[in-house]
Every structure is written in C-alpha cells, then in structure tokens.
Amino acid sequence: QAQLVESGGGLVQAGGSLRLSCAASGRTFSTYAMAWFRRAPGKEREFVAAISWSGGITSYTDSVKGRFTISRDNAKNTVSLQMNSLKPEDTAVYYCAAKLGGYSYIGSAYPYWGQGTQVTVSS
C-alpha cells in the first residue's frame, strides 16, 4: 500500500523553473530519509538531492547546487524539489525515493520509489 507519486514535471525553456512534488500514501514517511534521483536519456540513474527525516540536513549533486532546493512537509507527507535556472542537461525522468535511516547516494538503498515525472528543458 505504501506509495510515492511524483507530479509537477513538464516542458520548460532553459532558465525557467519547475517545482516537483512527491506525495506519499499508505504510510507516513515522516521518519524516512527522502531523495530525488533522475534518469536522463541514455544515461544511468543519478542522485540529485536528499533530505533527512527532520529536514535539517540536505545534500545535492554538484551540478544542481545553487539551483535546486529539496524540502519536505512531514505534516503533509510530501517532499518537493524546487528547480530554478533549468538547463537542457536537466532533462530527465525524476524519481522520488524513501528509506529508513540516513539518506544514501545509491539508488538501490531505497526500497520505496515513485513512478517518475518527466522534466524536459528546451534550449
């Protein structure tokens, strides 16, 4: 029954912004670390950002630092990814993931995943 569902993806011009949301259901994820991964066409799945269960610690891959912000609202059982100054290389399917304990940079460490939402950045 536990489920993560992403939304907010779409087509945007370079330099634009999108806000992705991940809604959890079936159980509370308030004590889980949450993360965003992405998979670009022809590329391996890549870590993007993560946030601790309390929201006090965050981590980002170097390519998105200063542009993306991960946040969570445990009362609403959601996690978001605010993406600003988008670049064509940000084009990918973005996935929300969750795990007990501290966050990880390795996708296989996360037992819970969303279905993904497409982000396409045009030049």
Side-chain angles (χ1 to χ4, degrees), residues 27-50:
R27 70 176 68 188
T28 179
F29 287 87
S30 61
T31 59
Y32 287 59
M34 305 291 292
W36 289 92
F37 289 79
R38 66 187 181 187
R39 184 180 179 183
K43 304 288 186 178
E44 295 288 309
R45 183 172 60 190
E46 175 190 25
F47 170 82
V48 178

Side-chain angles (χ1 to χ4, degrees), residues 1 13 34 46 60 64 68 75 81 92 99 114 116:
Q1 316 89 316
Q13 287 188 311
M34 305 291 292
E46 175 190 25
Y60 302 90
V64 309
F68 290 12
L81 186 69
K99 68 181 292 292

Side-chain angles (χ1 to χ4, degrees), residues 3-78:
Q3 188 172 194
L4 301 174
V5 179
E6 302 93 337
S7 62
L11 175 63
V12 64
Q13 287 188 311
S17 298
L18 285 173
R19 185 177 179 86
L20 306 183
S21 294
C22 174
S25 63
R27 70 176 68 188
T28 179
F29 287 87
S30 61
T31 59
Y32 287 59
M34 305 291 292
W36 289 92
F37 289 79
R38 66 187 181 187
R39 184 180 179 183
K43 304 288 186 178
E44 295 288 309
R45 183 172 60 190
E46 175 190 25
F47 170 82
V48 178
I51 187 167
S52 63
W53 71 267
S54 68
I57 306 173
T58 58
S59 183
Y60 302 90
T61 190
D62 285 345
S63 64
V64 309
K65 287 181 179 177
R67 300 189 298 120
F68 290 12
T69 303
I70 188 171
S71 61
R72 68 190 299 161
D73 185 340
N74 286 341
K76 295 183 178 180
N77 216 19
T78 61

Side-chain angles (χ1 to χ4, degrees), residues 103-118:
Y103 58 69
S104 172
Y105 304 113
I106 303 172
S108 61
Y110 292 80
Y112 302 101
W113 290 85
Q115 86 290 346
T117 186
Q118 177 71 49

Side-chain angles (χ1 to χ4, degrees), residues 10-18 38 40-41 46 61-68 82-94 118-123:
L11 175 63
V12 64
Q13 287 188 311
S17 298
L18 285 173
R38 66 187 181 187
E46 175 190 25
T61 190
D62 285 345
S63 64
V64 309
K65 287 181 179 177
R67 300 189 298 120
F68 290 12
Q82 178 66 46
M83 306 186 295
N84 298 326
S85 301
L86 283 162
K87 304 175 180 180
E89 52 262 44
D90 295 318
T91 295
V93 177
Y94 284 71
Q118 177 71 49
V119 172
T120 302
V121 184
S122 65
S123 59

